Amino acid sequence: MADSAEASQIALALETLSRAYLSEGRFDAAEATLRQCIDATARVFGTQRHPGVATLLDMLAIALVQQGKNEEAEAVLRASVEVKVEVHGGPAHEEVAHSLHGLGEALSRQGKFDEATKVFHASLEALHRATGTEWPADAGPTLQALAMAHVHLGQYAQAEEAWHRKAELGERLHGTPANSDTVPALGMLAQLCLRRVQRPADALRFSTGAWQAALAGQLWDHALQIGPVHLACLAGNGQPAEAIEQVVRALIQVIDRFPEGDPARSHAISELQRLYPGPGNANG
């Protein structure tokens, strides 16, 4: 009994240390400690097929990804999915969906986009079945990752569908388009239509919706990102100078909310100068 208690304490201490290393960004140390922790935890429970082990595998995958060890992360996440499917009695569980999302990300980082799309769809299906709704609250990041994988494959119609679902999900959850799911999804739709599929009118419709929602919700980070895209869409649709200048003035006000040296601020200023080489430059 004493040996069992001591083993549990060791496993807990290793997990606490691993979490500290992850939070400090010491990913190599976290990896080494997590491998010890996984072995110790498996000995405590007498099996590798335990929810506690799966949680540690997910943590190990984070440490590996942060070191660029994506192939190893893929293998670890596959093991995590297998354990979670077994202990939860099937794939219809939010924990399974979480690990599937991570697996899809690991595959995408290796350029395995076709396989990644299948895994992201499996993650969404697991969420749908686990929550009993077509609009699970946690689906946003997976829809975003799925859309990007489709873009890399040149599958623009599928990417557009994923971003439409992400935009609608946000609006359903928050009751307004002024939220951090809908605004970036509309922004990505605008960029897709403007730069990939040459539908400038649709691009302007999406960018207008994103810009107005970002301002209405005071989502300044998103407004800083969508502002230059909206300007490009206005110009691409031959909108009047007055309409463009109005957006320029509003974007300058948004830029001024961010400190000097902020990378997002610097990018927005650069884009503003490129798209509107006029009075706005003096305020950058």
Side-chain angles (χ1 to χ4, degrees):
M1 191 73 175
D3 288 344
S4 176
E6 182 179 357
S8 296
Q9 290 176 353
I10 291 171
L12 180 59
L14 288 168
E15 181 177 350
T16 301
L17 184 58
S18 299
R19 291 184 184 277
Y21 284 146
L22 285 174
S23 66
E24 295 168 3
R26 299 173 61 186
F27 301 114
D28 55 344
E31 177 190 349
T33 307
L34 279 164
R35 292 190 186 281
Q36 296 177 51
C37 187
I38 289 167
D39 289 341
T41 302
R43 286 196 298 272
V44 169
F45 293 114
T47 178
Q48 290 271 354
R49 323 296 283 186
H50 189 276
V53 172
T55 298
L56 295 171
L57 289 170
D58 288 342
M59 291 169 60
L60 176 57
I62 293 172
L64 291 168
V65 165
Q66 291 297 325
Q67 297 175 82
K69 299 178 179 180
N70 293 304
E71 288 187 16
E72 292 180 57
E74 176 189 342
V76 166
L77 286 162
R78 289 189 188 280
S80 176
V81 170
E82 287 182 9
V83 172
K84 288 181 179 181
V85 168
E86 182 176 320
V87 300
H88 293 298
H93 197 280
E94 289 171 272
E95 281 296 318
V96 176
H98 172 77
S99 292
L100 283 169
H101 174 90
L103 175 58
E105 293 277 20
L107 290 165
S108 291
R109 289 188 183 93
Q110 297 174 72
K112 301 176 181 178
F113 298 113
D114 189 58
E115 188 175 0
T117 60
K118 295 180 176 65
V119 173
F120 288 134
H121 277 295
S123 177
L124 291 169
E125 177 64 19
L127 271 181
H128 294 327
R129 293 175 61 189
T131 61
T133 174
E134 283 297 306
W135 304 99
D138 295 334
T142 304
L143 287 167
Q144 171 67 22
L146 173 63
M148 290 305 302
H150 280 307
V151 168
H152 282 292
L153 291 167
Q155 298 171 345
Y156 301 135
Q158 293 91 327
E160 184 172 350
E161 180 184 358
W163 274 318
H164 272 297
R165 286 189 62 80
K166 186 171 185 282
E168 185 173 354
L169 170 67
E171 193 160 355
R172 283 172 176 264
L173 293 176
H174 298 278
T176 171
N179 66 80
S180 58
D181 274 317
T182 297
V183 170
L186 290 174
M188 296 304 294
L189 283 167
Q191 294 186 65
L192 182 73
C193 289
L194 183 69
R195 297 168 183 167
R196 303 277 188 172
V197 297
Q198 286 74 54
R199 284 161 38 203
D202 284 336
L204 179 57
R205 176 166 58 88
F206 292 131
S207 72
T208 299
W211 175 244
Q212 292 176 348
L215 294 182
Q218 299 184 356
L219 303 172
W220 305 124
D221 287 341
H222 294 302
L224 193 66
Q225 294 174 4
I226 192 60
V229 176
H230 187 39
L231 282 174
C233 291
L234 287 166
N237 281 269
Q239 295 299 293
E242 295 81 3
I244 294 175
E245 289 170 4
Q246 182 180 9
V247 174
V248 168
R249 289 193 294 270
L251 179 55
I252 290 170
Q253 292 179 348
V254 172
I255 288 171
D256 286 343
R257 292 178 173 274
F258 293 81
E260 295 282 351
D262 184 291
R265 171 193 164 100
S266 299
H267 176 73
I269 291 173
S270 175
E271 285 295 286
L272 178 57
Q273 292 172 339
R274 181 178 68 83
L275 293 164
Y276 186 76
N281 286 348
N283 295 278

